[in-house]
Amino acid sequence: MAGSTPTGLRRPATAFVYAALTFAIAVGPAAAVTPIDWPDLKDPTAARYEDAFEHLYLSELRSLAAVYRIRNGLKSGGLTLEERAKLERRLKDEEAKLAAAGIQTDQLLAQRDEVARRRAEARLQGNSDLAGKDVAITGYVIPVLDETGAAKYGYLVSGYGMCSHVPAPAPNQIIFYRLEEDWAEAELYKPVLLQGRLDLSVSRQTINLLDGDVTITASFDMDVTDIRALEPQKRDVGDRGFRSFTRKP
């Protein structure tokens, strides 16, 4: 059943962030609730690192990747003299382009593994200052059916279509949420405000979404105490909404 496109609001979530949070905090329970936005979820310490590749043009990154692949290819055996000569000519051309652009190829490639590690860490690590706090945040939901067919949990992301029409965001930009009861109004990419206790807990799950199987990794989870749709949604008989996908066993 994957492939049906649900009706949904397609403007960015940031358009309603502060108005929705102000309303929710004003009329919500007396307990202290911290309004947050998506950048707040990132670990500020992990995000501070020197990325030597950040300011390179795409063509330069492609040349660097080509140099890396060709050098490894030349180290491997089984090449004919003609194949080796062809690779060496290509390597010389790519290295010359990088040198003309003032790029220190060997120095950059020596940092490749460390930068990749720091990038992965920056995408995964969540802000520990938010762990255990009651927060309110707006976004778009990806509800998931459990074994009984109930929509008691799912994912909150910052933009419409994430994980299906566009790649999944970084794990620290995804919240896995849990509800106490089945949410009858659940609909794929419905704009909502979620309020509840936020915790740092990495989870990974494969679901069948609009474009097929998608593995989602989330750095946060939330036990939801309040969920509010931010704009009424028109629904008709032909709209299967979120029920076009389910949890993978």
Side-chain angles (χ1 to χ4, degrees):
M1 296 177 63
S4 61
T5 303
T7 303
L9 187 65
R10 296 178 181 266
R11 68 169 181 266
T14 52
F16 50 74
V17 170
Y18 293 107
L21 290 179
T22 302
F23 171 78
I25 302 305
V27 302
V33 176
T34 302
I36 63 171
D37 202 353
W38 290 93
D40 301 326
L41 296 173
K42 299 178 181 180
D43 180 353
T45 302
R48 289 196 295 267
Y49 67 94
E50 184 177 351
D51 187 341
F53 300 85
E54 184 178 9
H55 301 296
L56 297 183
Y57 292 110
L58 180 59
S59 59
E60 295 166 347
L61 290 171
R62 287 174 174 167
S63 289
L64 273 175
V67 168
Y68 180 81
R69 290 195 305 270
I70 294 170
R71 286 181 178 180
N72 285 337
L74 289 171
K75 291 177 184 177
S76 63
L79 293 174
T80 66
L81 291 177
E82 183 180 355
E83 289 171 338
R84 179 171 291 276
K86 184 177 180 180
L87 284 177
E88 288 174 345
R89 288 194 299 271
R90 172 80 189 284
L91 177 61
K92 185 177 180 180
D93 289 343
E94 296 294 350
E95 288 177 336
K97 285 191 289 186
L98 291 168
I103 294 173
Q104 304 295 319
T105 300
D106 293 339
Q107 182 179 345
L108 280 177
L109 291 180
Q111 301 177 56
R112 178 178 179 273
D113 291 341
E114 176 62 16
V115 171
R117 184 189 68 80
R118 296 296 298 271
R119 283 180 179 176
E121 184 177 295
R123 288 173 55 84
L124 181 65
Q125 296 299 321
N127 187 349
S128 59
D129 290 341
L130 297 177
K133 286 190 174 181
D134 287 325
V135 303
I137 185 170
T138 61
Y140 295 86
V141 291
I142 302 175
V144 180
L145 300 179
D146 64 16
E147 295 84 351
T148 68
K152 291 184 179 180
Y153 68 93
Y155 296 91
L156 187 73
V157 293
S158 63
Y160 185 96
M162 285 183 170
C163 303
S164 59
H165 303 307
V166 296
N172 61 15
Q173 295 294 282
I174 303 177
I175 298 173
F176 175 77
Y177 67 82
R178 289 183 295 267
L179 306 170
E180 292 185 0
E181 299 178 351
D182 183 19
W183 183 27
E185 297 180 8
E187 183 177 321
L188 182 57
Y189 298 127
K190 188 171 190 144
V192 301
L193 177 135
L194 289 188
Q195 184 173 309
R197 179 188 173 94
L198 192 68
D199 283 302
L200 278 168
S201 178
V202 177
S203 62
R204 185 179 178 87
Q205 181 179 213
T206 298
I207 63 174
N208 185 268
L209 201 49
L210 299 177
D211 298 334
D213 289 352
V214 177
T215 299
I216 300 179
T217 302
S219 296
F220 290 92
D221 66 38
M222 176 190 285
D223 288 317
V224 177
T225 56
D226 191 19
I227 183 167
R228 305 183 189 191
L230 295 182
E231 184 168 317
Q233 302 259 311
K234 292 183 179 180
R235 305 186 66 175
D236 55 46
V237 175
D239 179 18
R240 287 192 286 268
F242 74 97
R243 299 188 185 276
S244 62
F245 63 93
T246 56
R247 184 175 61 87
K248 297 289 288 184

